[in-house]
Amino acid sequence: MSDYAPSTKFADQAVGKAALYDEAAADHEGFWAARAREYVTWSKDFDTTLDWSDAPFAKWFVGGELNVAYNCVDRHVEAGNGDRVAIHFVSANDDDDRAITYAEMQREVAKAANGLASLGVEKGDRVAIYMQMIPETIFTMLACARIGAPHSLVFAGFSADALRARIDDADAKIVVTSDGQFRKGKAMPLKKAVDDAVAGTSAKKVLVVKRTGIDVAWNDDRDVWWDDVVTPASDTHEAVAHDSEHPLFLLYTSGTTGKPKGILHTTGGYLVQCAYSNAVVHDLHPETDVYWCTADIGWVTGHSYIVYGPMANGATQIVFEGTPDSPHKGVFWEIVQKYGVSILYTAPTAIRTFMKWGHDIPEGYDLSSLRVLGSVGEPINPEAWRWYREHIGGGDTPIVDTWWQTETGAIMNSPLPGVTELEPGSSQAPIPGIHAEVLDDDGNKLTDPDAVGYLVLTKPWPAMLRGVWRDPQRYKDTYWSRFGPDLYFAGDGAKYDEKGNIWILGRVDDVMNVSGHRMSTAEIESALVSHDKVAEAAVVGATDPTTGQAIEAFVILRQDAADAADSADEGGELVTELRNHVATQIGPIAKPRSIMIVSELPKTRSGKIMRRLLKDVAENREVGDVTTLADSSVMSLIQDGMKSSG
Ligand code: PRX
């Protein structure tokens, strides 16, 4: 038996059994209908599992009605599990660690729903949430789900400009935020960005949680404290059922153009797949496990695997407001030890960072409670996988490498920990009920293990995005046109190995993956070009050993700025200015690692920038084929500049 086959002991107790594959293969819709009734409580049963007649616009569990918040909270209380801890809130920044039971969660969500309703939020209204990892963020999300008001979370590291664009696009009626957030022990402003973002938008109210106590500017007509509106509100709220296809949330993600797209997820199908995948992939046993997904709630992983999946399953989990190095580099392992975490779901970039810090740090803690490890967000290199298994997992803990996207809503490809013989570095195969293939340029399934193609989802799945907010054409063009109207193009390169495992090779479009965060080259280019000294910009993602990819920018200055920079030799200052400008436009996570000022960019005769060549420069490789360049001397100019700037 291979080292990577599941042990009998694990397999015997596993939630996900091999029989699920057979059941799904025999009857796709029947399989999902059964999962829908197994994992979710319906106020009204559905009559049709899938309506794909208007492809690619899907309807799942048609005719069904449910309330997501009821499913994530109330039904656990009704089942006698009100005393179970839903969330251990752990903060690196002060002593306010807090355990919140499902019964308390029910009261907090009811209060938040009543509070939002008192501010005029009704079913169908969009609610923007710009808040960090604190319990109130979860209360607000579930309150929105309860009312049927789709939320749009905006990661609290995004700038005011990015927030404004998202408020505008969604026509959000209200913004929920906090006064500030703790970052490495320091209170940093958060509401300030909302103040800068909301003026002139559809958002007429701002609901503010007091988290840090720092001073905030106040607009009496617009701003209200959570403590004045939510805290005193009634702690009961009736959860009315919503249609299975009622919008649950919007989440903006980067695409190939400068404008982020609002990915739309709806109620029934999303919840079913989140709950099912969390159970079978993470092997969640809610009565005994302590589960911890380290993602930020502002990204899809936090939506699906902190809030909706685990809470629908009645999990006990850790919510951590902090970073892996604060207050010290062993904080993750200290939390695992203290709370007896049994399932840990994190990102390759974090694992590579822990590797860099050295295994003696985790060795200082008792990690024996861990029994399932997960990875998400980018390919995990086999070396990091092995380190994770050895030094965190004690050498025998199954690792589930889960491939999915904001658009897919839930896990798509992953081993099942009690069934699959693991292959380090590969997310292996679609989970039962999901259909994925690697196709070549012409849409034929690859047969040669050395060939490289594209990952394509060949059947609709319950948690699939239902569209791009207010842009049906972009939805069709981006995902459903490359290979045909009912084949979903994921945008990832992929290949099979000899055993038939799928290996994800990274994005094939102009989307970068930096520390598991999706960034579009076009979005950062347009941020750079919006600076008055910049004439043109090109951005590429260069391989980075820790963050996966790093943002490298090449910039042509406007003539007057170039002259001034030359005479004053102020290149260094200008680069800082440009990096800060990107932080203001998008957020600090979008800051290029380096910016090179160049006099030309490599372009084809039709004017298209050849990023491939810039990538060669950024990765210190010999520059590839330049014959299609309009001016082949450009590359030597850029390389010379690179050498002289060190
Ligand atoms: O390129 C793939 C990569 O992340 C992209 C999706 O990014 P996002 O929508 O931000 O969602 C991230 C969290 C689900 C994918 O197109 N990706 C995600 N997980 C993996 C991965 N690449 C390889 N292996 C993974 N496990």
Side-chain angles (χ1 to χ4, degrees):
M1 197 172 75
S2 132
D3 282 355
Y4 295 139
S7 69
T8 317
K9 189 165 160 246
F10 191 99
D12 284 349
Q13 62 80 59
V15 183
K17 306 284 188 204
L20 287 171
Y21 289 101
D22 303 328
E23 190 188 335
D27 177 2
H28 182 60
E29 290 178 32
F31 173 84
W32 282 113
R35 299 294 81 70
R37 295 187 179 111
E38 181 181 353
Y39 285 96
V40 164
T41 304
W42 298 83
S43 307
K44 180 168 166 261
D45 197 14
F46 51 91
D47 43 56
T48 305
T49 302
L50 168 65
D51 177 358
W52 191 230
S53 57
D54 185 27
F57 298 94
K59 292 197 179 86
W60 278 89
F61 309 121
V62 184
E65 291 180 6
L66 70 160
N67 188 289
V68 167
Y70 171 81
N71 271 275
C72 289
V73 183
D74 305 55
R75 65 169 173 161
H76 306 313
V77 180
E78 286 172 13
N81 293 320
D83 290 341
R84 183 184 297 164
V85 173
I87 286 171
H88 287 289
F89 175 63
V90 182
S91 174
N93 309 293
D94 51 20
D95 295 332
D96 63 358
D97 292 11
R98 174 178 172 200
I100 301 167
T101 64
Y102 274 98
E104 284 175 77
M105 183 65 78
Q106 186 180 33
R107 293 192 288 272
E108 296 291 351
V109 173
K111 284 183 183 197
N114 287 321
L116 287 173
S118 75
L119 295 174
V121 175
E122 293 174 3
K123 180 168 178 171
D125 289 338
R126 270 82 56 204
V127 174
I129 306 176
Y130 183 66
M131 217 149 43
Q132 72 276 32
M133 296 283 283
I134 50 177
E136 287 81 358
T137 309
I138 299 178
F139 305 156
T140 308
M141 291 167 79
L142 290 169
C144 288
R146 200 170 182 95
I147 298 173
H151 54 70
S152 164
L153 262 92
V154 180
F155 173 60
F158 276 124
S159 68
D161 286 359
L163 173 62
R164 174 200 287 273
R166 286 156 176 76
I167 295 171
D168 267 341
D169 191 71
D171 272 334
K173 189 167 194 175
I174 176 172
V175 183
V176 186
T177 190
S178 66
D179 56 348
Q181 57 178 334
F182 290 110
R183 282 265 148 216
K184 299 195 198 287
K186 265 183 41 198
M188 309 288 284
L190 191 65
K191 178 176 182 286
K192 171 145 193 346
V194 179
D195 295 337
D196 294 343
V198 287
T201 69
S202 50
K204 301 295 176 229
K205 288 279 171 210
V206 177
L207 177 60
V208 190
V209 173
K210 188 172 275 177
R211 171 68 185 130
T212 59
I214 55 171
D215 284 342
V216 288
W218 203 256
N219 175 335
D220 282 329
D221 296 332
R222 187 195 66 195
D223 301 341
V224 281
W225 285 110
W226 179 278
D227 283 340
D228 291 337
V229 174
V230 176
T231 311
S234 159
D235 63 6
T236 57
H237 179 274
E238 196 195 341
V240 298
H242 303 297
D243 188 89
S244 178
E245 281 301 334
H246 186 68
L248 181 63
F249 66 84
L250 290 175
L251 187 56
Y252 286 81
T253 190
S254 297
T256 48
T257 71
K259 188 172 178 281
K261 23 182 197 205
I263 301 300
L264 172 66
H265 283 289
T266 61
T267 298
Y270 173 79
L271 192 67
V272 168
Q273 194 179 329
C274 285
Y276 153 75
S277 56
N278 173 240
V280 301
V281 173
H282 297 116
D283 193 47
L284 181 80
H285 296 261
E287 315 76 31
T288 47
D289 275 316
V290 178
Y291 166 93
W292 184 16
C293 166
T294 69
D296 192 285
I297 295 184
W299 308 110
V300 75
T301 308
H303 283 58
S304 303
Y305 295 106
I306 296 177
V307 183
Y308 293 113
M311 293 193 67
N313 289 329
T316 294
Q317 63 179 319
I318 307 290
V319 170
F320 177 52
E321 182 198 29
T323 52
D325 59 350
S326 170
H328 58 83
K329 289 179 177 158
V331 65
F332 267 40
W333 320 122
E334 189 176 76
I335 293 172
V336 169
Q337 174 178 288
K338 177 168 175 197
Y339 294 93
V341 173
S342 53
I343 305 170
L344 177 70
Y345 191 33
T346 193
T349 184
I351 298 162
R352 289 191 297 263
T353 304
F354 297 137
M355 260 175 97
K356 211 163 61 184
W357 291 344
H359 55 78
D360 47 319
I361 297 180
E363 267 159 23
Y365 298 88
D366 178 4
L367 306 183
S368 59
S369 55
L370 287 170
R371 53 174 211 89
V372 179
L373 300 177
S375 173
V376 58
E378 55 174 314
I380 175 164
N381 38 317
E383 195 194 352
W385 193 103
R386 291 199 182 88
W387 187 92
Y388 193 28
R389 170 126 160 153
E390 187 61 33
H391 296 288
I392 307 303
D396 58 358
T397 304
I399 298 180
V400 288
D401 175 1
T402 61
W403 175 88
W404 58 292
Q405 309 176 300
T406 306
E407 292 88 339
T408 69
I411 293 170
M412 303 296 281
N413 288 4
S414 170
L416 290 191
V419 179
T420 315
E421 183 172 334
L422 303 173
E423 181 67 41
S426 160
S427 48
Q428 301 193 265
I431 63 171
I434 300 301
H435 295 261
E437 288 180 0
V438 186
L439 305 184
D440 68 14
D441 267 316
D442 303 323
N444 303 310
K445 187 173 171 178
L446 290 188
T447 46
D448 174 0
D450 291 324
V452 170
Y454 306 94
L455 188 72
V456 172
L457 303 169
T458 55
K459 278 198 176 139
W461 63 100
M464 64 195 284
L465 75 166
R466 299 302 196 263
V468 173
W469 185 247
R470 291 192 172 143
D471 200 347
Q473 196 57 44
R474 191 169 178 195
Y475 171 64
K476 287 188 189 166
D477 293 348
T478 311
Y479 306 106
W480 305 97
S481 62
R482 175 71 179 79
F483 291 101
D486 54 8
L487 293 173
Y488 173 92
F489 173 58
D492 278 318
K495 67 181 204 92
Y496 291 109
D497 65 16
E498 302 74 22
K499 298 179 204 155
N501 290 308
I502 296 175
W503 290 71
I504 305 291
L505 304 171
R507 302 288 307 188
V508 293
D509 51 15
D510 293 329
V511 172
M512 298 172 289
N513 190 327
V514 182
S515 297
H517 298 150
R518 243 165 101 167
M519 304 274 160
S520 114
T521 52
E523 203 179 340
I524 298 173
E525 283 164 6
S526 63
L528 284 165
V529 174
S530 73
H531 190 283
D532 59 10
K533 290 181 184 159
V534 176
E536 227 181 318
V539 166
V540 296
T543 304
D544 181 279
T546 307
T547 59
Q549 285 189 311
I551 305 165
E552 298 279 342
F554 297 81
V555 158
I556 303 181
L557 296 178
R558 294 189 183 193
Q559 196 55 51
D560 43 353
D563 294 345
D566 275 351
S567 59
D569 195 22
E570 60 162 22
E573 270 170 43
L574 184 57
V575 164
T576 310
E577 187 179 325
L578 294 179
R579 291 182 75 235
N580 291 339
H581 180 71
V582 174
T584 321
Q585 293 282 305
I586 306 174
I589 48 170
K591 269 189 189 181
R593 177 173 71 182
S594 73
I595 296 181
M596 197 184 159
I597 313 264
V598 295
S599 52
E600 292 291 346
L601 287 169
K603 289 187 184 155
T604 61
R605 283 174 199 96
S606 60
K608 192 170 164 4
I609 295 174
M610 293 189 72
R611 288 201 182 73
R612 172 174 63 76
L613 299 175
L614 292 174
K615 211 167 154 153
D616 289 342
V617 173
E619 292 176 350
N620 280 322
R621 255 197 317 272
E622 199 169 318
V623 171
D625 183 10
V626 293
T627 48
T628 49
L629 281 183
D631 173 1
S632 59
S633 66
V634 168
M635 285 319 293
S636 18
L637 274 176
I638 293 179
Q639 281 174 299
D640 290 348
M642 193 85 175
K643 279 184 210 117
S644 61
S645 66

